[in-house]
Amino acid sequence: MLYLTLRHYEYVCAIAQYGSLSAAAAAVHVSQPALSTALARIEAQLGETLFLRRRGAAVVLTPQGRSFAARAQAILEQAAQLERQGSEDATGQQLTVGWFTDLAPFLLAPALQRLRAALPGVAIHYKVDHFEPLIAAMIAGNVDLAISYDLGVDASFMRQELSRRSPVALLPRRHPMAGLDHLALADLAEQPLILSEEGHSVRHMLGLFKSIGTLPRIAHRAASVELLCSLAAHGEGIGITYSRPPGTYSYDGPGLVSVPIRDTSAEEPLVLISHTRPARGSVIQRAQDILVDVVTANSPDQ
């Protein structure tokens, strides 16, 4: 176990700089007796005399003290640079951003462009996955930040709510409900539905229908938003997703209509997930600001 702390190194460097215990004590905001006691303990731990102290005269560094003070100052400067990490020079750093799989097609590309432009010295990586693998990657320390819905995120992480999103019903153009301005969950209770196969998504949707006293008729569980859109456009059921497709066609051609589901209970927070509150000016803090801007600019309501 290390006995000397950065505070001890700071004491030695202050005494070496100011040449007196009283001036050094004032600089490091401790009393002179406390500084004198600390110096005696430092020298006892090292087994060396760092300063020659004579009554009424300035303290004088011994050769051992001069060498120790120089090395201690270098350690303090390295520690200060570490605390400022990201605020001045981010060269050589890495950043990995996680994305929930349904959000990545709409947000990942513009986010990468913004991050690389704003953080040119940082190697930007990303991971796209479902809820549970994404959180597991954060727990393992392999992901620094993540954009996801607030499902399956435990209390050990920090969350910043970016928006609240309502699901949409995806229907073929010929469907009788395709011309409606909005729908309610109750309107869909008897319809064959296409849901995501992702576990948290399915449990969330089942919970929403259970809250209105019914259970959904699940026709398909799709592995991706693209497949969900295709199945809905071909009349295999009504797709429900929080990731509203930007166009009016499915990926394989047939027309597709998005109708908002207006139940307040169905709104789901879109969140930025982080390990801790980042230091001001750090790479993580700057990346967070960029991600907030990207999500806001690409919100369906904008």
Side-chain angles (χ1 to χ4, degrees):
M1 180 180 295
L2 295 176
Y3 177 82
L4 299 183
T5 66
L6 291 179
R7 188 65 167 162
H8 290 127
Y9 296 152
E10 186 180 15
Y11 289 163
V12 172
C13 292
I15 297 169
Q17 178 181 354
Y18 291 99
S20 80
L21 291 177
S22 58
V28 296
H29 308 292
V30 297
S31 67
Q32 182 175 334
L35 182 61
S36 181
T37 300
L39 177 58
R41 290 176 177 172
I42 293 168
E43 291 179 324
Q45 175 66 22
L46 295 174
E48 295 179 328
T49 299
L50 302 181
F51 298 93
L52 298 176
R53 302 184 281 283
R54 298 184 179 88
R55 184 180 298 275
V59 295
V60 178
L61 281 163
T62 65
Q64 296 89 343
R66 188 176 300 109
S67 174
F68 182 85
R71 287 179 289 162
Q73 185 62 43
I75 291 173
L76 290 174
E77 291 173 358
Q78 289 177 359
Q81 183 178 4
L82 185 61
E83 289 188 359
R84 295 192 304 268
Q85 187 177 26
S87 61
E88 295 178 355
D89 183 11
T91 302
Q93 294 191 48
Q94 297 189 26
L95 176 75
T96 301
V97 182
W99 300 86
F100 176 54
T101 184
D102 285 4
L103 295 169
F106 306 98
L107 298 171
L108 174 56
L112 285 177
Q113 292 176 347
R114 288 281 305 277
L115 289 168
R116 287 169 177 160
L119 304 169
V122 179
I124 306 295
H125 306 285
Y126 62 87
K127 178 178 178 60
V128 177
D129 219 323
H130 293 299
F131 293 117
E132 291 183 0
L134 204 56
I135 296 304
M138 289 200 71
I139 292 173
N142 297 325
V143 171
D144 302 298
L145 300 167
I147 301 292
S148 179
Y149 293 108
D150 195 5
L151 296 175
V153 184
D154 65 58
S156 64
F157 294 103
M158 295 192 66
R159 302 172 181 79
Q160 179 181 350
E161 184 174 315
L162 306 180
S163 65
R164 298 187 70 85
R165 295 195 174 185
S166 297
V168 295
L170 303 179
L171 309 98
R173 289 179 177 174
R174 64 184 179 275
H175 196 282
M177 294 183 178
L180 299 177
D181 292 332
H182 64 274
L183 288 165
L185 290 171
D187 300 325
L188 304 173
E190 300 300 322
Q191 299 289 327
L193 301 181
I194 308 165
L195 306 180
S196 168
E197 71 173 12
E198 203 283 327
H200 281 292
S201 293
V202 172
R203 289 191 290 273
H204 173 67
M205 197 57 62
L206 290 175
L208 291 178
F209 279 95
K210 185 177 180 180
S211 70
I212 63 171
T214 186
L215 290 176
R217 293 174 52 199
I218 302 176
H220 297 278
R221 297 189 180 189
S224 66
V225 176
E226 293 85 353
L227 178 58
L228 189 149
C229 289
S230 177
L231 290 169
H234 283 276
E236 288 291 316
I238 297 176
I240 300 182
T241 178
Y242 283 86
S243 301
R244 179 186 301 182
T248 57
Y249 292 90
S250 66
Y251 294 87
D252 57 343
L256 190 66
V257 176
S258 300
V259 181
I261 298 173
R262 294 301 190 196
D263 298 63
T264 303
S265 62
E267 290 184 354
E268 187 61 30
L270 182 62
V271 294
L272 171 61
I273 308 166
S274 59
H275 294 275
T276 59
R277 188 180 302 279
R280 185 183 298 275
S282 66
V283 166
I284 296 293
Q285 188 264 320
R286 286 186 282 168
Q288 284 187 346
D289 290 345
I290 292 168
L291 293 173
V292 170
D293 288 345
V294 168
V295 172
T296 301
N298 290 274
S299 171
D301 298 327
Q302 297 301 313

